[in-house]
């Protein structure tokens, strides 16, 4: 690399740093990049209000973590432990929840449209206003959720019981 190339690289790096610093100070958050938290121990972690779309939390321990109002579309929570996690108002559209533990998880007003939740455990979950449109669930979990289901999702306008096909 010659001197001219190094100078241009330095100038471009400085400009990029200035743009990122200025936008951060103005309250603008740059778009998130897909992140990998596979097999991480993240008990009580705070991911609230973040854009984590397409990230992976496969087999992660996320007990008591806060994902409220986060964009979790396309996220993989395969075999993750989300026991007592806060997913209030989260967008879980097309997320993978297969084999996940959502025991005592707060899914109030969450959108799970198109999520894959086969073999997921929802014991004691709070699903008030959650939208389960086109979610693949085991029939025993669906029946369990129907006993708890109530409310209407404030974003989609769909009733939780209708999205779960409750009798």
């Amino acid at each position: 690399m010659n001197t001219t190339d190094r100078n241009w690289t330095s100038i471009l790096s400085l400009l990029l740093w200035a743009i990122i610093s200025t936008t951060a100070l103005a309250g603008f958050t740059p778009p998130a990049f897909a992140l990998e938290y596979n097999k991480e121990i993240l008990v009580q972690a705070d991911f609230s209000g973040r854009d984590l779309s397409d990230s992976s939390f496969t087999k992660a321990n996320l007990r008591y973590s806060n994902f409220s109002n986060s964009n979790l579309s396309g996220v993989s929570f395969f075999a993750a432990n989300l026991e007592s996690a806060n997913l209030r108002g989260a967008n879980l559209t097309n997320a993978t929840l297969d084999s996940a533990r959502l025991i005592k998880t707060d899914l109030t007003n969450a959108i799970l449209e198109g999520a894959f939740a086969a073999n997921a455990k929802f014991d004691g979950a709070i699903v008030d206003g959650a939208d389960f449109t086109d979610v693949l669930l085991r029939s025993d979990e669906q029946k369990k959720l129907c006993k708890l289901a109530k409310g209407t999702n404030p974003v989609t306008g769909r009733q939780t019981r209708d999205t779960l096909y409750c009798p």
Side-chain angles (χ1 to χ4, degrees):
M1 185 182 280
N2 63 36
T3 306
T4 304
D5 290 340
R6 278 193 295 259
N7 288 341
W8 276 111
T9 302
S10 297
I11 291 170
L12 289 174
S13 296
L14 183 62
L15 283 173
L16 182 60
W17 177 83
I19 291 169
I20 291 172
S21 299
T22 305
T23 55
L25 291 174
F28 174 77
T29 306
F33 298 99
L35 302 170
E36 285 194 15
Y37 296 97
N38 299 332
K39 298 181 182 177
E40 297 271 344
I41 297 172
L42 298 163
V43 176
Q44 296 182 326
D46 186 4
F47 292 99
S48 60
R50 297 205 24 212
D51 182 354
L52 297 165
S53 55
D54 298 319
S55 294
S56 182
F57 292 87
T58 296
K59 296 183 180 179
N61 186 349
L62 300 160
R63 288 183 21 236
Y64 299 99
S65 291
N66 185 359
F67 288 94
S68 61
N69 302 308
S70 290
N71 180 6
L72 304 170
S73 61
V75 167
S76 174
F77 285 113
F78 177 79
N81 183 358
L82 288 156
E83 183 178 344
S84 299
N86 180 354
L87 292 165
R88 292 176 75 94
N91 176 5
L92 291 149
T93 302
N94 298 319
T96 299
L97 299 167
D98 188 32
S99 300
R101 290 175 38 101
L102 293 124
I103 296 167
K104 298 180 184 174
T105 300
D106 188 350
L107 291 162
T108 302
N109 297 329
I111 301 170
L112 295 99
E113 187 170 354
F116 182 73
N119 297 315
K121 296 286 186 188
F122 290 92
D123 298 345
I126 302 166
V127 295
D128 301 352
D131 185 340
F132 285 88
T133 300
D134 298 328
V135 173
L136 181 62
L137 292 167
R138 283 187 2 206
S139 62
D140 60 327
E141 291 297 317
Q142 184 258 353
K143 288 175 186 166
K144 203 182 302 181
L145 288 170
C146 281
K147 291 178 183 175
L148 308 168
K150 62 182 178 182
T152 303
N153 186 278
V155 176
T156 65
R158 298 180 187 128
Q159 292 184 8
T160 302
R161 293 186 60 76
D162 291 346
T163 64
L164 283 166
Y165 299 106
C166 297

